[in-house]
Amino acid sequence: MVTEGYMPYLGYKTYYRIVGEKKNNGKAPLLCLHGGPGSAHNYFEVLDCIADIDGRQVIMYDQIGCGNSYLDGHPELWNQDVWLDELEALRKYLDIDECHIVGQSWGGMLQICYAVERKPEGIKSYIISSGHPSSSLWEREGLRRIKFMPQDMQAAINHALETHDFTGAAYDAAVAEYMKRYCDYPVTEKSPECLTRPKKFGSEAYLYGWGPNEFAPTGTLKDFEYVDRLGEITIPSLIVSGISDLCSPLVAKTMYDGIPNSRWELFEHSHHMCFVEENEKYVKMAIEWMREHD
């Protein structure tokens, strides 16, 4: 059973999708926060099976500015507080008093600032999947990894960062190689439909939230720095990352070291989307984790 709808938000609308029925079985729903900023919920549909396997709802939504909540022409909206307020509004609108939360990439960042800044009630656990606690650490790791690329690609990326001109065939090829190494999951005609389905990417949300390039953030999230405040997160947290992930092992370990009640699972055959690339293993892990903390 899939229920779809829209929540009014800031005079616009936020799309949501609920898999499964609400049951009085002691199992809190799983709320999914997608990446970006500007991506969409689509890839989380590979977790729909949790509703059947574990008898708990799986709830996902498209954050304002992307997917079925697409909006542009409003640069003033693309900041941390708007996305935090949206998360709180959605929980209230859908009566999500208790839940587990999984966040991937930017969604993992959103979890961290939600835990620290809003001190939410009713959160059973977090699954921080390939997120990060520090934009400066993310940048340092990205720049370090560039040095392992072919010299011409290093030169193309470094030239773009120096000149702020992120165009041209050489730069595009270098970024494509970098993302192939640390991010991309090869989508083919045999991939799940939710991965091949066209989606409306929130380019403006990404541009103003993160910036015009992956490596050195310049948007509203450029000062996202929570390493020194990770100790304030008292909710049990499962850190998940891939061996060849934009979230490098150092970034993942920083979260693991800083969050008191945490565990770290490193997926040895994954890049940036462990729940897609090693789906069966991820689903089993997530269910066991949530049952432990219901």
Side-chain angles (χ1 to χ4, degrees):
M1 175 180 173
V2 176
T3 304
E4 299 174 280
Y6 288 90
M7 173 189 73
Y9 183 59
L10 299 180
Y12 307 105
K13 59 183 182 179
T14 295
Y15 165 87
Y16 62 85
R17 178 179 181 274
I18 304 173
V19 186
E21 298 181 24
K22 195 170 186 177
K23 300 177 181 179
N24 187 23
N25 60 3
K27 294 183 177 182
L30 176 62
L31 178 59
C32 307
L33 311 181
H34 66 69
S39 188
H41 80 278
N42 299 36
Y43 58 1
F44 275 132
E45 292 184 26
V46 301
L47 300 181
D48 283 1
C49 58
I50 289 175
D52 290 328
I53 297 172
D54 201 35
R56 76 174 73 236
Q57 284 187 318
V58 180
I59 303 169
M60 53 200 76
Y61 68 104
D62 288 342
Q63 298 161 19
I64 187 170
C66 63
N68 296 326
S69 307
Y70 183 79
L71 179 69
D72 63 9
H74 293 275
E76 74 281 0
L77 294 179
W78 317 130
N79 62 76
Q80 177 174 305
D81 283 334
V82 167
W83 286 306
L84 283 173
D85 290 345
E86 181 183 38
L87 172 55
E88 291 189 324
L90 187 79
R91 285 191 64 194
K92 183 176 180 180
Y93 187 79
L94 296 177
D95 295 320
I96 308 173
D97 296 327
E98 294 184 335
C99 64
H100 301 270
I101 299 182
V102 59
Q104 189 264 347
S105 195
W106 148 244
M109 297 167 61
L110 188 57
Q111 284 175 290
I112 290 171
C113 60
Y114 185 47
V116 173
E117 302 290 357
R118 302 296 173 94
K119 303 289 192 296
E121 296 182 356
I123 307 299
K124 297 290 189 177
S125 77
Y126 290 123
I127 302 175
I128 304 174
S129 201
S130 301
H132 78 70
S134 164
S135 290
S136 62
L137 175 61
W138 191 261
E139 178 177 353
R140 289 200 305 274
E141 280 294 86
L143 296 179
R144 179 184 66 82
R145 282 172 152 181
I146 290 171
K147 296 176 182 178
F148 293 98
M149 297 176 67
Q151 287 293 332
D152 60 331
M153 291 186 173
Q154 291 187 47
I157 293 173
N158 289 329
H159 177 74
L161 291 171
E162 291 168 3
T163 61
H164 303 286
D165 178 9
F166 303 101
T167 61
Y171 174 75
D172 290 344
V175 171
E177 174 61 25
Y178 182 85
M179 299 305 273
K180 179 182 177 182
R181 292 185 181 196
Y182 302 114
C183 182
D184 293 343
Y185 170 77
V187 176
T188 70
E189 59 183 16
K190 295 182 180 179
S191 298
E193 183 274 336
C194 62
L195 302 179
T196 61
R197 183 193 316 146
K199 67 180 179 182
K200 189 75 172 176
F201 185 78
S203 300
E204 185 179 275
Y206 185 84
L207 177 64
Y208 285 92
W210 186 255
N213 74 94
E214 167 61 31
F215 311 101
T218 57
T220 59
L221 297 173
K222 66 180 175 62
D223 297 320
F224 185 94
E225 299 294 337
Y226 285 94
V227 171
D228 293 338
R229 300 188 66 184
L230 291 174
E232 297 178 34
I233 302 177
T234 58
I235 296 165
S237 300
L238 177 60
I239 314 301
V240 182
S241 65
I243 196 73
S244 300
D245 195 335
L246 291 173
C247 171
S248 72
L250 174 60
V251 174
K253 185 177 185 299
T254 299
M255 292 186 284
Y256 171 64
D257 288 345
I259 300 174
N261 191 8
S262 65
R263 196 176 92 202
W264 177 20
E265 289 287 338
L266 183 63
F267 280 62
E268 59 182 302
H269 303 294
S270 291
H271 297 80
H272 198 46
M273 292 180 286
C274 303
F275 53 85
V276 172
E277 295 174 270
E278 295 182 68
N279 179 254
E280 186 175 339
K281 177 183 175 182
Y282 194 102
V283 166
K284 182 176 183 292
M285 174 202 69
I287 289 174
E288 290 176 352
W289 171 261
M290 290 187 289
R291 287 178 177 176
E292 181 182 344
H293 296 288
D294 268 324

